[in-house]
Amino acid sequence: MDSTMTGSSNWIPMGDIAEEYGVNQMEAVDSLSGKELTLNFEDGLSRTYTFIDKQQLERTDNPGEEIESRYNATMPRENIYFVDYMISEEERTSESLILDFEREIATVITATIPSSKDEMPQLLLEHAMANESLGAGEYEIRSAVIDQPFTDSTVIHEKTDELTGKRVKYTYSDNSIYEHIYLNDGCFVWHCLEGEEKDIAEATPCSYYEIADSLYLLVWEEMVLPVIGVILIDLRSLKTTGKMLCDDKNDFENVVNIPMGAHAEPLNVTPSVQ
């Protein structure tokens, strides 16, 4: 039977195509090396981050509660950093920091993907009817202030609808080209135009935040594969930087945290009917 009639498609393990996503990634920066900063969160939690060198950081929640990990940092705008690292490979959890030194604020994304197929949504209808997440993973987005107390007057990175209606092409490499169609404030479509996933598409739950003028944070969780993506989209420089937390071979044996970046090309905008 023709696969186009059955709706089947060739879903590629993300570890097999990881290198393609990093070809056009922004160069890592080392300007955080040697710095220490404290993030104070809206709920009162305080964390200290020590950037030991250009590759290793230490996160301290309380004395005796330290995590040391290898990190990657890029700087899409002057004084705005994207920092990403694994909290725990065993727990399949990562943390991404958007450090905005222009306003001395931060947004922190903690992402976790399932550790077994039993944790994957088995029947989407049941999850939909129970008002549960349809994504194959979970993430939390939190606001913080850098080296200052969090108060009622603290400015934060706000949710935005400025991407809604836009269709943008992203070239990760010559053999990895996708388009995004931002449908509404909670869903977008990714569609592979060229590469191993060619002609595969998915409409997936997501969140958008405005980090600066024409600089947006997109976080999404996929439904078919255990994937959570976190990227910064700069529609001024027409570049992106970010990562995908995913399973290496779709066998729940190894987790991969793939750095990614692309050249962006806005294609069109669908006007709102409202």
Side-chain angles (χ1 to χ4, degrees):
M1 183 179 292
D2 189 339
S3 64
T4 59
M5 296 179 65
T6 64
S8 63
S9 54
N10 186 22
W11 292 88
I12 308 296
M14 302 310 295
D16 290 356
I17 53 178
E19 290 185 2
E20 296 290 343
Y21 293 114
V23 173
N24 289 331
Q25 166 69 318
M26 293 182 186
E27 288 190 17
V29 297
D30 62 3
S31 48
L32 292 173
S33 180
K35 294 185 182 297
E36 180 179 290
L37 58 89
T38 297
L39 296 187
N40 294 306
F41 292 83
E42 194 169 6
D43 62 2
L45 176 68
S46 180
R47 283 178 177 160
T48 298
Y49 295 82
T50 303
F51 296 89
I52 300 169
D53 53 32
K54 64 181 181 181
Q55 294 181 327
Q56 294 292 126
L57 66 73
E58 182 180 83
R59 190 189 86 178
T60 304
D61 288 9
N62 295 296
E65 296 181 12
E66 294 89 13
I67 297 169
E68 188 168 323
S69 185
R70 186 182 181 93
Y71 75 94
N72 183 66
T74 53
M75 189 170 65
R77 291 272 181 92
E78 188 71 27
N79 292 323
I80 298 179
Y81 292 83
F82 178 86
V83 177
D84 186 73
Y85 70 99
M86 291 295 298
I87 297 177
S88 169
E89 292 194 7
E90 182 177 335
E91 296 177 5
R92 302 162 73 86
T93 300
S94 70
E95 186 173 81
S96 304
L97 312 175
I98 314 300
L99 302 176
D100 181 352
F101 290 105
E102 284 292 319
R103 293 187 285 174
E104 299 296 331
I105 60 176
T107 294
V108 178
I109 306 96
T110 305
T112 302
I113 59 170
S115 58
S116 73
K117 65 180 181 180
D118 294 333
E119 297 176 27
M120 297 281 289
Q122 299 299 309
L123 189 61
L124 292 178
L125 178 60
E126 289 183 0
H127 282 251
M129 296 303 292
N131 199 28
E132 296 177 353
S133 171
L134 303 181
E138 57 185 31
Y139 63 84
E140 181 182 33
I141 301 175
R142 307 175 70 193
S143 300
V145 64
I146 302 173
D147 292 332
Q148 301 172 50
F150 199 106
T151 69
D152 291 341
S153 60
T154 295
V155 174
I156 63 173
H157 297 133
E158 300 279 3
K159 288 188 174 182
T160 182
D161 61 1
E162 290 184 8
L163 286 174
T164 300
K166 290 182 170 59
R167 179 171 169 242
V168 184
K169 183 171 76 171
Y170 296 103
T171 301
Y172 296 94
S173 73
D174 291 342
N175 191 44
S176 184
I177 303 173
Y178 290 73
E179 66 174 342
H180 288 183
I181 304 170
Y182 304 111
L183 300 178
N184 53 45
D185 62 3
C187 183
F188 86 107
V189 171
W190 63 259
H191 172 217
C192 183
L193 302 173
E194 191 65 49
E196 296 295 329
E197 293 186 304
K198 186 174 182 178
D199 296 333
I200 297 178
E202 182 179 321
T204 192
C206 67
S207 300
Y208 314 100
Y209 287 77
E210 183 180 24
I211 304 303
D213 181 44
S214 298
L215 180 65
Y216 306 101
L217 168 66
L218 167 65
V219 185
W220 77 91
E221 50 183 333
E222 297 188 9
M223 292 185 287
V224 175
L225 299 182
V227 173
I228 294 179
V230 182
I231 62 171
L232 285 179
I233 302 165
D234 191 341
L235 292 183
R236 182 186 296 172
S237 68
L238 300 180
K239 293 180 180 179
T240 74
T241 185
K243 68 73 151 308
M244 282 196 299
L245 178 69
C246 41
D247 198 77
D248 187 12
K249 302 295 182 184
N250 296 342
D251 56 9
F252 301 96
E253 300 246 344
N254 296 298
V255 63
V256 287
N257 197 34
I258 302 171
M260 59 191 301
H263 297 304
E265 179 186 348
L267 300 177
N268 57 45
V269 178
T270 300
S272 172
V273 297
Q274 297 180 349

